[in-house]
Structure formats: structure tokens, C-alpha cells
Amino acid sequence: MSTKHEKILQYIESLPVGDKISVRQIAKEMQVSEGTAYRAIKEAENRRLVSSIERVGTIRIEKKKKENIERLTFAEIVNIVDGQVLGGKAGLHKTLTKFVIGAMQLDDMMRYTDAGSLLIVGNRIQAHQNALKAGAAVLITGGFDTTEENKRLADELELPIISSSYDTFTVATMINRAIYDQLIKKDILLIEDIYIPMEETATLRNTDSIADFQNLNMKTSHGAFPVLTHTNKLVGMVTVKDVIGKEDHEPIDKVMTKNPISGSMKTSVASAGHRMIWEGIDLLPIVNDDGILQGVISRQDVLKALQHAQRQPQHGETIDDLVKSEMKVMGEEDVVVEFTVTPQMTNHYGAISYGAFTTLLAEVGAFALKRRKRGDAVAENMTIYFIKPIQMESVLTVVPHILDMSRKFVKMDFDIFNGNTLVGKAMMMFQLLER
């Protein structure tokens, strides 16, 4: 059974793109309190099913799948640039394919402006009209207005005219930043990208016996299965170890692990992999908010996905990418890394930020372990027990020393030099990801 929250989300998803919704309307339609309706609308916004705009309302927008280029809806543009909608509200749910900056003669501007574009331009009334007629929406910068005739045309063609008080350069930068942030989000692998769906997952019921486990084990050669109720709610996990020495007639629910560890679709693959290794489990069940099984992921799926992700070209740069790009490996056998502190990595005092510093150590340590053929590793803890302020554009030398190594853990010490001066010392513990 779905909860009220899930039912409201399903209802919102079933609405036609472009429909307006409100807390009051959802509460009345679904016979729930306004508080419940408000929480569901906020969740729908997080899932990018709707977009709320000041002075316009909440609009059902197209849910965008992961693709090579991130698209934004005009509704999202309004929020990014703190805009005001002058006309064409009915088209806010549409997505734009590109944006054009109108800093040229009118005829030249129209050569670049086609259907689905967004023309970013100042108070050039004729350009507004020509863009609408070409099937493009208009974003007027500098807080300027347009004619009533253009507003009527925008309503008729369902193409938004948006006014923002920011200048053209700022608006273009803000839109670029939003696309960039979405590319970074898109690059992060989530469980929903790699999980094996419920239909392809071998499961047992809590009313089954150990004989049913043995049959399923022979048929699939899997060593672990989720245990479900008749409504597909996850109640346990059962593995080969659990049934050793047990009689065939014994019920599954007597030997299974109750309340097993599970993940959700929005958990990152890296986080799920770390948890699986830490807890020593090979199969992680994936459930929704009501505990209903959606599918599973295996440890092999996680490791394969993480290795594949490391080989992909990155689109949006994170701090980790910036740090990696400044690292130069000097040593052949023993790893020594040279690193330049760029302005983006500094705090407001102009010294390297703690975030960039710890990222640097984690990256150098992981690289040193790879060089020792120990595969991938996750940082478990870090102690920085000596650090001096390190100014921007300093060139650092990082020297890692492996102090102790077991099958699962590595203890590493770091010396950080600026020229011949020792500027930092730290110790880290890494957990090795088993294959």
C-alpha cells in the first residue's frame, strides 16, 4: 500500500505538463491536510516534477532524464535570475535548447534565434517581437519592460517573456552556473542508475521454508535473497550461511536476518559501496519510503560502476576535480606529488582551505595505494597534527609514507613541504575496497 505522500506524488506526476497546482487544490483533491500537501509539493520540487515561481505559482514541468546536455525549463530560468513573468505564463513548463545573447544587429540576432531558444536582450522592443515570432522565449535584462502587444503575442504563442533586474553578463553567468551544477549532479552515480529492478530480482516470501531457499539457490546460484511479505515489503535477508545445518522444513523467517540494511534510489553508489564493505554484505536491497522492495545491487555492480565512472570525462568541475588537475606525480617507485595552490582553493585569508588540503591528502594517499597495486580505497579518518598557513600559488610537495598495511586497512603518514619548509603533517587510515 502506498502512503498518502506517495499517492500525492503519483497524482502530481500524472498531471499534464504545464498544469498549475496549489497546496489548497491538492489538499481538496486528495482529501489530505494542507501540511501533507505542502510537504508532497516540496518533494515534487526536489524531484524536479514541478517548479514554484513567485507571483506565478507552482507549475508541473517536464521530468528530465539524464542526458548528455542538461536542459532547463523556462520556469527554472525565472527562479535562477529572480525574474518576473511579463507574458506567456502558459509556456513556462517548456524546456530551452540554447540561449542566445542579443548583443548584435537585429538581423544578425535573428540568424541565431530559432524555436526553443531563449533570447537574452535589453530593451529592444523589435527584437522581443521577432524572437517570439521565431518561436523563442525572451529574457529582458536590466529590469526593462516590453509593449502590451508583445505581452499579448507571448500569451498567444505560449512563449514566456521574463524580465530580470540583472545585466546580460550576470544573467548568462547565472544560467551557465545552473547548467554546470546540474552536470555535476548528473555525474554523481546514484543507485537508481545501476540497480537490478524487482522484476529481475530473485526473492523469497516470509512464509517460505529452507527447502524453497535451496531450490532458488540451485536455480539462480545466488547466495543471498531478500525476504518479502505478500505486499512486497522487505522483512529480512537470508544467505547460504544462515541455512547451513538447518532442516529443509524449517521456516525462512526463523533463520533470516530481520530488519536488514537497505538503500534507497537516491543513495550515491560510492556511499552504498562503502557501507556494504564496512558491514560485510554482498547484496543490498533497495526500498522506497514504505519499505517496499524496488530491486537490489551487488558488491560487483558497485565496484564495476565506480571503476567505469573514474574513466568518464567530467563535465562540471568539483573541488576534487580542481585538486586532481593541479597534482603532478614526481616519484617512480615511491610516490611524491607536487601541487600548486590555485585561488579557488583558498579561504578568505588567502591561505589554502581545509577542504582543499584534506582532499589533496586523500587523493595522494589513494594514488599511492593504486601504485602499490592495492586497488581502490576509501578514507576512514584523518588527523592533521601540524599545519602552517599555506598561501595561494605556493607549490607544495606531498610525501606519503605507508606505516602499516593489512588485508583491509592501511595507515599512512604525510609530510607536506613548501620548498624546504615543513608546512603540514597528517595521518590517515584507508579502508581497502575488496574485489
Side-chain angles (χ1 to χ4, degrees):
M1 285 291 288
S2 297
T3 60
K4 285 179 187 173
H5 186 75
E6 277 297 321
K7 279 182 179 161
I8 298 168
L9 286 167
Q10 284 161 13
Y11 168 73
I12 291 171
E13 199 160 1
S14 72
L15 292 172
V17 169
D19 266 24
K20 269 180 74 170
I21 60 170
S22 69
V23 169
R24 193 168 292 172
Q25 172 215 333
I26 295 282
K28 192 176 172 189
E29 189 79 36
M30 303 299 293
Q31 296 181 328
V32 294
S33 71
E34 290 194 358
T36 304
Y38 174 78
R39 282 191 294 277
I41 288 173
K42 277 289 157 207
E43 175 61 23
E45 212 166 337
N46 292 339
R47 293 189 191 183
R48 294 175 71 192
L49 293 169
V50 300
S51 187
S52 297
I53 304 169
E54 218 178 318
R55 298 184 295 276
V56 173
T58 302
I59 296 161
R60 172 78 173 90
I61 60 171
E62 195 181 348
K63 187 175 184 184
K64 298 178 284 297
K65 291 183 173 67
K66 289 194 174 186
E67 46 192 15
N68 289 336
I69 179 154
E70 255 329 296
R71 298 182 188 280
L72 292 167
T73 62
F74 294 119
E76 288 169 313
I77 294 286
V78 177
N79 287 334
I80 291 161
V81 301
D82 295 332
Q84 188 180 341
V85 184
L86 305 178
K89 287 179 186 176
L92 284 165
H93 64 278
K94 295 175 182 174
T95 53
L96 66 147
T97 50
K98 65 174 182 181
F99 65 87
V100 180
I101 295 173
M104 54 195 96
Q105 292 293 340
L106 195 58
D107 291 347
D108 295 329
M109 208 186 290
M110 287 307 119
R111 288 219 314 267
Y112 294 99
T113 310
D114 44 29
S117 308
L118 174 70
L119 177 67
I120 301 172
V121 70
N123 56 341
R124 297 173 70 176
I125 303 297
Q126 195 56 49
H128 305 165
Q129 191 178 97
N130 290 10
L132 291 168
K133 285 179 176 170
V138 179
L139 172 49
I140 307 167
T141 57
F144 293 110
D145 203 344
T146 192
T147 61
E148 291 304 318
E149 187 191 343
N150 282 350
K151 290 176 190 176
R152 277 195 298 277
L153 184 62
D155 289 338
E156 196 182 301
L157 298 173
E158 296 189 355
L159 289 167
I161 294 189
I162 304 156
S163 176
S164 171
S165 57
Y166 295 109
D167 61 70
T168 304
F169 175 78
T170 307
V171 157
T173 306
M174 289 162 99
I175 295 171
N176 246 339
R177 181 73 248 181
I179 292 170
Y180 207 61
D181 286 349
Q182 287 183 14
L183 284 168
I184 289 172
K185 277 187 198 168
K186 192 189 74 175
D187 285 336
I188 296 167
L189 272 178
L190 301 177
I191 281 178
E192 66 183 6
D193 300 320
I194 67 159
Y195 81 111
I196 299 156
M198 170 76 177
E199 306 76 65
E200 296 166 35
T201 303
T203 62
L204 289 162
R205 297 285 173 198
N206 56 344
T207 50
D208 286 343
S209 66
I210 285 170
D212 296 309
F213 174 94
Q214 305 290 16
N215 291 337
L216 198 55
N217 174 247
M218 279 173 68
K219 201 162 87 178
T220 63
S221 75
H222 295 173
F225 303 101
V227 182
L228 314 176
T229 65
H230 68 285
T231 59
N232 291 340
K233 189 164 186 164
L234 179 74
V235 287
M237 282 294 288
V238 63
T239 68
V240 173
K241 285 180 196 163
D242 299 325
V243 302
I244 290 171
K246 301 286 191 281
E247 299 291 328
D248 279 1
H249 64 269
E250 286 189 56
I252 282 289
D253 65 357
K254 288 281 184 286
V255 297
M256 70 183 187
T257 302
K258 293 184 170 73
N259 304 317
I261 294 161
S262 61
S264 77
M265 292 289 199
K266 295 295 176 191
T267 305
S268 75
V269 171
S271 161
H274 183 242
R275 191 152 191 213
M276 288 170 84
I277 288 154
W278 184 250
E279 301 284 356
I281 54 178
D282 291 314
L283 195 74
L284 184 74
I286 309 305
V287 297
N288 65 12
D289 292 344
D290 301 323
I292 306 296
L293 189 75
Q294 306 291 288
V296 294
I297 58 164
S298 70
R299 195 187 290 206
Q300 282 79 7
D301 296 331
V302 168
L303 287 172
K304 252 188 262 171
L306 289 176
Q307 282 156 7
H308 178 69
Q310 282 167 8
R311 293 194 292 270
Q312 297 308 300
Q314 298 300 303
H315 296 290
E317 278 191 313
T318 61
I319 282 287
D320 287 39
D321 298 324
L322 289 171
V323 167
K324 276 184 206 167
S325 69
E326 292 300 325
M327 281 169 50
K328 287 191 192 115
V329 181
M330 311 303 281
E332 282 302 319
E333 282 302 307
D334 295 323
V335 172
V336 175
V337 172
E338 204 171 80
F339 177 79
T340 307
V341 181
T342 66
Q344 298 102 309
M345 297 174 201
T346 56
N347 58 25
H348 55 285
Y349 300 120
I352 192 169
S353 72
Y354 293 124
F357 189 71
T358 53
T359 301
L360 169 64
L361 299 185
E363 289 294 341
V364 171
F367 185 84
L369 290 173
K370 271 207 170 134
R371 182 66 72 83
R372 292 283 293 263
K373 305 283 189 291
R374 293 312 304 255
D376 295 312
V378 175
E380 271 300 315
N381 59 53
M382 178 188 299
T383 306
I384 299 169
Y385 50 90
F386 171 63
I387 184 170
K388 279 185 168 182
I390 301 161
Q391 300 307 304
M392 75 171 84
E393 303 191 347
S394 302
V395 178
L396 305 180
T397 307
V398 185
V399 186
H401 309 280
I402 293 173
L403 302 176
D404 192 20
M405 190 184 302
S406 70
R407 202 166 58 83
K408 284 196 169 185
F409 293 98
V410 177
K411 197 177 272 186
M412 204 179 283
D413 187 59
F414 296 86
D415 292 326
I416 303 96
F417 296 93
N418 184 3
N420 294 323
T421 310
L422 184 70
V423 291
K425 277 190 79 72
M427 190 181 284
M428 278 184 88
M429 177 81 87
F430 288 91
Q431 187 182 153
L432 297 167
L433 300 179
E434 291 175 54
R435 303 214 170 277

